[in-house]
Amino acid sequence: MSRTVYVNGEYLPEEEATVSIFDRGFLMADGVYEVTSVLGGKLIDFPGHAARLERSLNELEMAVPMSTEELLEVHRELVARNGIDEGLVYLQITRGNPGDRDFAFPPADTKPTVVLFTQSKPGLAANPVAQVGIKVISIPDIRWGRRDIKTVQLLYPSMAKMAAKKAHVDDAWFVEDGFVTEGTSNNVYIVKGGKIVTRDLSNDILHGITRAAVVRFAREAQMEVEERPFTIEEAQGADEAFFTSASAFVLPVVEIDGKAVGTGTPGPVAARLRELYLEESLKAAV
Ligand code: PDD
């Protein structure tokens, strides 16, 4: 069934939605994005995603084309028009169409391109993967140095996903200077002796909106969280491992580079945090 999507102020059937071949998102990957999950027809962690979007735009000296309220309105309208109960809203803003190819940024008054679409994912909250966990491999992190900005430069993460596929596992963890940075599209954690360890925030990783919420809920539930880098060897010797993202919430990792983590089955901390996150973020959904 054809979706209704949003392009530069218009709601259109997906077949009729187009952007220019000169769009800087297409030619230069000059754009940023956000993915917000939908549960029970409501948006999860919307204020966090809106705030990070504004930060990404500011860091790249791109204009903020809409207010948070307008953005929320478009998200809600798309969820309603497409009858999304569980799924995702994808948003992308690029530096627009300057009418030709040029490395230099176009004049500041060039209209940005704003695109949003929904993805229906029935069963997102009841994902059976939460009961079995996923397997990952490690891969060198050769991405650029501003991973804190959520740009659409996703070629290397796509290549890492393909490397995982070829190795018959589910995902890859990036490693730089001997330490894990993050997953292809998620933040990663280990648990040892009840303590949760996750890499500290810097330009080396995306500041996950789900990460912020999960760390907060864990601390509120009196769990200890240490924010510091860890190695693959430390992760392999941990009791548990897991990852977070807007599209997966909290999911266990049971094998890293062929070695079982803990018992090789999902652990109690990841299960508890998934439960807590779904419960608490649903309460605050808009
Ligand atoms: N990815 N790190 C990277 C590199 C990511 O791409 C993502 C999200 C995260 C988790 O951030 P958040 O909790 O805000 O979703 C961490 C999205 C889901 C994607 O690209 O589809």
Side-chain angles (χ1 to χ4, degrees):
M1 204 183 77
S2 168
R3 281 171 285 194
T4 296
V5 303
Y6 175 94
V7 187
N8 297 328
E10 282 190 288
Y11 292 94
L12 296 168
E14 62 185 65
E15 301 79 11
E16 291 171 28
T18 55
V19 295
S20 165
I21 63 159
F22 297 118
D23 194 278
R24 286 188 58 95
F26 178 60
L27 293 180
M28 306 282 185
D30 187 356
V32 300
Y33 77 108
E34 282 295 331
V35 176
T36 304
S37 60
V38 178
L39 291 178
K42 288 188 163 181
L43 298 155
I44 301 295
D45 280 337
F46 179 81
H49 289 286
R52 184 174 62 191
L53 173 69
E54 196 167 326
R55 179 179 181 276
S56 292
L57 291 167
N58 286 336
E59 291 297 309
L60 296 176
E61 295 172 35
M62 282 170 67
V64 178
M66 296 160 98
S67 69
T68 300
E69 292 68 34
E70 287 168 326
L71 213 55
L72 177 58
E73 184 51 38
V74 178
H75 276 72
R76 281 182 163 155
E77 188 65 28
L78 281 182
V79 168
R81 287 194 190 212
N82 292 293
I84 305 295
D85 178 45
E86 293 194 5
L88 306 170
V89 180
Y90 177 87
L91 153 83
Q92 179 168 332
I93 300 177
T94 78
R95 209 181 299 271
N97 162 27
D100 205 346
R101 181 174 184 268
D102 190 350
F103 278 82
F105 290 173
D109 61 358
T110 305
K111 242 174 59 92
T113 300
V114 183
V115 168
L116 286 94
F117 59 82
T118 55
Q119 294 180 304
S120 179
K121 307 236 178 232
L124 193 63
N127 190 348
V129 174
Q131 309 310 319
V132 290
I134 68 153
K135 298 174 179 178
V136 302
I137 52 167
S138 61
I139 189 166
D141 197 341
I142 59 165
R143 296 173 302 161
W144 78 327
R146 290 304 308 274
R147 302 161 196 153
D148 57 310
I149 308 172
K150 199 164 172 60
T151 75
V152 296
Q153 303 173 99
L154 295 177
L155 181 55
Y156 189 63
S158 293
M159 290 168 72
K161 265 279 184 205
M162 292 313 292
K165 245 186 166 165
K166 278 184 198 144
H168 305 290
V169 298
D170 309 285
D171 200 15
W173 281 15
F174 292 129
V175 175
E176 185 175 54
D177 300 330
F179 292 97
V180 178
T181 51
E182 56 189 336
T184 54
S185 58
N186 48 68
N187 293 116
V188 302
Y189 309 73
I190 56 173
V191 183
K192 184 76 179 176
K195 189 197 285 177
I196 300 161
V197 181
T198 192
R199 195 179 173 106
D200 47 307
L201 296 179
S202 70
N203 291 353
D204 298 337
I205 63 168
L206 186 73
H207 301 191
I209 302 306
T210 321
R211 178 192 181 281
V214 164
V215 166
R216 190 172 78 246
F217 297 146
R219 285 183 172 144
E220 282 170 8
Q222 313 303 324
M223 298 180 194
E224 196 182 341
V225 183
E226 193 179 349
E227 296 181 69
R228 62 157 173 86
F230 57 84
T231 64
I232 288 291
E233 292 68 33
E234 188 181 0
Q236 287 170 327
D239 302 327
E240 284 185 47
F242 63 93
F243 73 93
T244 65
S245 75
S247 50
F249 311 125
V250 180
L251 283 178
V253 173
V254 295
E255 186 188 293
I256 304 170
D257 284 339
K259 288 210 176 128
V261 178
T263 60
T265 56
V269 175
R272 175 84 188 109
L273 287 174
R274 181 178 179 86
E275 200 178 271
L276 259 180
Y277 178 75
L278 286 173
E279 219 174 84
E280 293 301 320
S281 60
L282 254 173
K283 280 188 212 159
V286 292

